[in-house]
Amino acid sequence: DDADADVSAGGGGGGGGASVSADPTQRVSTGTNAGAPTAGMAADMSTDADPFANGGMGSRAEADTVETDAWGQAMGSSGPGSPLSYSAVERLLVEEGLPSEKAIAVANVIYAPGVRPSFMGGLDKKGSAKYNRIETGRCPILPPSFAEVEIAVRELLKTGFSVDDLADMILTEPRLADPVYAARATKVSQVLQDQFELRRYDVRRIGRNAAYVFCVELDELRTTIDALKEVGLRGKNLKLTFMRWPNLATQPSSAVKRLVAFLKSEDGLGFESQAQVGSLLRQAPWLLQANLDFTVKPVLAFLRNWGVQKLDIVVRAYPQVLLADVKTELGPRLEFLLEIGMRESDVPNVVQSFPLLLGLDVNTRMRPVVWYLLDLDIDPLDVAKICRAFPSLLGLNAEQHFDPTVQFLSSIGVVNIGRYVQRLPPVLGYDVDTNLIPKWNYLRDELKLSAYDVTRFPAYFSYPLDKIIMPRMQYLERCNKKASVWGLNLILTPSDANFAIKVAETKPQDYVAFKDAFLNQLQQVQEERARDEEQKAKVEQQAARELAARNALEARERAARETLEAPRLQVSNGQPGQGPMQVEQTAPVAG
């Protein structure tokens, strides 16, 4: 694959006879958003970097002349980058079934100089690989000839890619228009199917979304796969990880070994086995591209300084924290907890119980939550206690989550909302439609209780309706005991055994048997209801299709009638027409 080849830069009828020695893996000029190239394009290729600065290739002016002449010869009337080759590639793709506009775009990419894709953009804040485009410099890398492009296209089609697939692949990775890289893509495709257990559809999907994978060196790919298997990434786990982050296949095996060594070290997470590394890689494979010394190490040291001990739990729950900036992101977020009244000794426990807090913006997420609680007339010290006990509230959107709950509590008769929230802070995160309303309806309609009862025992809304509330209330009714006599607190707070003994005054096994039978019956009812709703939806869809068909038929009939009546209307209005009625009226006159 790495053998050099002599490529005629101006063969055929008009490009001159110059010959350029080039590496076939670097023969393709890449780029996007350019039209059919002309002979003067090389003169515009310039960057700040000077590849000829250290001598050995003559002066920069001489290099400019050589480069411009070479590209101009390549852009001759029948050379590899000529308008004839450009049109031939476009026609080839159209004949294979590609729309003309997309075929033109592909030809533009193949024959436009100046830029090429780069995968070395690092990581963004979410841990995803960033991709940018960099200037290739002043070297006039020759584009492939039409014959070479045709070979590459045939090779990709034979591999199993559709013409749309290969068009998307070349648009993002123009090197695949070279037969050398197309042949490599075929081999990589086979390795992916064998080692990652990918289906043909999966390979095509990777090609459309991450074509750069098919340009990796085969030996390095196999070595990387072996290294991943050593840390426990194999079979289904390896496949799912690769499908989520295709850049996994482009990472060198040395990156895997480096990450393993770091995570086992004292500066890392202190993992004891490679299997722990593999478990983390399944969640965050992009760690293979992270800068361990300048990004990950400072984050772990920062958290240790704050007293966070269970770093493995924090990182597993929120691995993106390893990419956060200590000064501008993590520092202000933890300082905010002190600002609202938490003790510094409380911060480690808060972080360990809710690691996602490390990714919450202070001004757009956490501060509005604190303001909302203060607006409910909750004391600032109590706000700090609420955030310490239920830090997940800081991750909710105040308007989206809190407003509906407050409106619901007001509608059922709760007067002191702040006091209610202070006694049951998680209620602000409960969904009104699926959680609060069904429980309220059951309390009001079946138990004949009121807002007074839930005000006395706000935790009623925290218990599951189908697994706790309904079985116990039904069992008490079976035992001829009224819920209003005992109160919600005594009924819902005990365990199943204590409820049976102290409240229902029966044997625990009797209640367990009743509860199991009740849940089975409830499940059957829910399944039957789901089937009825599904059938109802099908009937409604069928009715909608029939109505649409009738409307379309009526529209066609109406249009046909209007077409037949138009000539008559024209004749009756004294206007000349072109229809058959005019022929019938004018025929006697002509006779």
Side-chain angles (χ1 to χ4, degrees):
D1 290 346
D2 297 328
D4 290 342
D6 290 334
V7 181
S8 175
S19 178
V20 179
S21 178
D23 183 343
T25 62
Q26 297 294 328
R27 196 162 55 242
V28 181
S29 170
T30 60
T32 58
N33 300 327
T38 63
M41 289 182 110
D44 297 328
M45 298 172 58
S46 62
T47 60
D48 294 334
D50 189 353
F52 308 96
N54 296 324
M57 294 188 68
S59 66
R60 184 173 186 127
E62 293 173 352
D64 287 346
T65 302
V66 172
E67 292 163 4
T68 304
D69 290 346
W71 186 262
Q73 293 171 1
M75 289 300 169
S77 61
S78 60
S82 68
L84 291 179
S85 296
Y86 178 94
S87 301
V89 169
E90 176 190 344
R91 185 167 59 254
L92 169 66
L93 296 175
V94 170
E95 290 175 354
E96 292 293 340
L98 193 68
S100 178
E101 293 183 358
K102 198 167 187 178
I104 293 174
V106 173
N108 282 340
V109 168
I110 295 174
Y111 291 116
V115 295
R116 65 180 176 187
S118 170
F119 324 123
M120 305 307 293
L123 301 173
D124 61 15
K125 295 299 176 63
K126 296 183 179 180
S128 301
K130 293 188 298 185
Y131 301 100
N132 59 354
R133 305 185 74 80
I134 60 174
E135 295 290 338
T136 58
R138 305 173 57 79
C139 182
I141 303 172
L142 295 181
S145 65
F146 166 69
E148 292 173 321
V149 174
E150 184 177 22
I151 293 173
V153 169
R154 302 299 182 198
E155 181 69 27
L156 293 174
L157 291 175
K158 185 178 67 174
T159 303
F161 296 105
S162 69
V163 66
D164 283 316
D165 295 336
L166 68 88
D168 292 335
M169 293 168 69
I170 293 175
L171 285 172
T172 57
E173 186 50 77
R175 287 181 294 176
L176 291 172
D178 187 290
V180 173
Y181 280 97
R184 182 183 297 178
T186 298
K187 297 177 182 178
V188 170
S189 174
Q190 190 60 48
V191 172
L192 295 180
Q193 293 180 67
D194 295 340
Q195 300 294 328
F196 290 92
E197 300 179 3
L198 300 186
R199 302 166 298 175
R200 178 78 67 178
Y201 170 79
D202 296 326
V203 174
R204 293 178 56 196
R205 177 180 166 191
I206 294 297
R208 293 192 300 269
N209 300 322
Y212 55 86
V213 168
F214 296 91
C215 295
V216 299
E217 293 284 350
L218 287 174
D219 292 340
E220 185 59 43
L221 175 60
R222 293 190 179 98
T223 306
T224 298
I225 292 174
D226 292 339
L228 293 172
K229 289 182 177 180
E230 289 181 3
V231 298
L233 273 180
R234 55 173 57 90
K236 183 178 181 180
N237 289 330
L238 181 60
K239 173 183 176 180
L240 294 179
T241 305
F242 172 69
M243 292 299 293
R244 285 194 301 110
W245 197 62
N247 209 21
L248 181 70
T250 68
Q251 304 305 307
S253 58
S254 58
V256 180
K257 297 176 181 178
R258 178 173 56 91
L259 182 63
V260 171
F262 172 76
L263 294 178
K264 286 184 175 182
S265 67
E266 294 182 357
D267 292 335
L269 298 177
F271 283 165
E272 297 179 356
S273 66
Q274 291 185 336
Q276 291 177 294
V277 179
S279 177
L280 181 59
L281 275 179
R282 288 198 296 270
Q283 291 180 268
W286 39 263
L287 282 175
L288 292 171
Q289 245 184 3
N291 190 318
L292 300 181
D293 293 326
F294 295 99
T295 303
V296 178
K297 279 186 180 179
V299 169
L300 295 177
F302 171 82
L303 294 176
R304 287 190 176 98
N305 290 337
W306 273 85
V308 179
Q309 299 297 325
K310 301 178 180 179
L311 288 175
D312 57 331
I313 295 177
V314 173
V315 171
R316 289 178 188 277
Y318 184 58
Q320 287 84 353
V321 67
L322 297 177
L323 301 180
D325 185 86
V326 171
K327 294 183 179 180
T328 62
E329 295 176 323
L330 297 182
R333 289 163 189 170
L334 297 189
E335 293 290 345
F336 176 76
L337 300 181
L338 303 181
E339 177 186 332
I340 65 175
M342 284 192 196
R343 298 184 299 242
E344 187 172 348
S345 59
D346 294 330
V347 173
N349 292 330
V350 171
V351 171
Q352 290 167 180
S353 62
F354 185 60
L356 292 179
L357 178 141
L358 296 171
L360 300 178
D361 185 77
V362 172
N363 294 322
T364 62
R365 184 65 77 179
M366 291 195 282
R367 196 180 301 277
V369 170
V370 173
W371 286 344
Y372 197 99
L373 295 175
L374 293 173
D375 289 342
L376 293 177
D377 294 330
I378 300 177
D379 187 84
L381 292 179
D382 293 326
V383 170
K385 293 179 181 179
I386 290 173
C387 294
R388 181 183 62 201
F390 303 97
S392 59
L393 290 177
L394 294 171
L396 299 179
N397 183 289
E399 294 182 0
Q400 181 180 352
H401 296 94
F402 298 172
D403 282 347
T405 300
V406 170
Q407 293 171 6
F408 167 78
L409 294 175
S410 298
S411 68
I412 66 174
V414 177
V415 178
N416 192 339
I417 304 294
R419 174 62 178 164
Y420 195 97
V421 169
Q422 189 175 341
R423 296 177 64 190
L424 184 66
V427 73
L428 292 174
Y430 294 163
D431 186 86
V432 173
D433 294 329
T434 61
N435 193 331
L436 299 180
I437 290 180
K439 293 176 182 178
W440 168 251
N441 290 340
Y442 183 80
L443 180 96
R444 181 192 60 191
D445 300 337
E446 299 295 332
L447 305 181
K448 308 302 180 183
L449 300 179
S450 65
Y452 171 77
D453 298 281
V454 293
T455 302
R456 290 182 58 195
F457 186 62
Y460 166 79
F461 286 114
S462 67
Y463 289 91
L465 178 62
D466 55 346
K467 296 182 179 180
I468 299 293
I469 299 176
M470 293 177 65
R472 295 192 178 187
M473 298 303 177
Q474 293 286 337
Y475 192 69
L476 287 178
E477 183 178 351
R478 178 184 176 183
C479 297
N480 296 321
K481 296 180 180 294
K482 292 184 179 180
S484 58
V485 174
W486 288 90
L488 296 175
N489 183 20
L490 293 177
I491 295 173
L492 300 177
T493 303
S495 63
D496 285 347
N498 288 334
F499 163 76
I501 296 172
K502 297 180 179 180
V503 181
E505 298 179 345
T506 61
K507 296 179 180 180
Q509 56 268 29
D510 292 343
Y511 173 67
V512 172
F514 172 84
K515 181 178 179 181
D516 291 340
F518 176 84
L519 293 178
N520 289 335
Q521 183 179 3
L522 182 62
Q523 182 178 1
Q524 293 176 3
V525 172
Q526 291 174 345
E527 291 176 354
E528 184 177 353
R529 186 178 302 167
R531 287 194 297 268
D532 293 341
E533 292 178 354
E534 183 179 358
Q535 184 63 30
K536 182 180 178 181
K538 290 181 179 179
V539 171
E540 291 177 351
Q541 292 175 359
Q542 181 63 26
R545 286 194 293 266
E546 293 176 356
L547 178 61
R550 285 198 300 270
N551 291 338
L553 179 60
E554 292 175 359
R556 288 195 297 269
E557 292 176 348
R558 187 164 51 251
R561 287 195 300 268
E562 291 175 355
T563 301
L564 293 175
E565 293 175 359
R568 296 175 184 155
L569 293 175
Q570 291 177 353
V571 172
S572 62
N573 293 332
Q575 299 177 356
Q578 299 294 331
M581 291 300 297
Q582 181 186 1
V583 176
E584 295 176 4
Q585 296 293 333
T586 57
V589 177

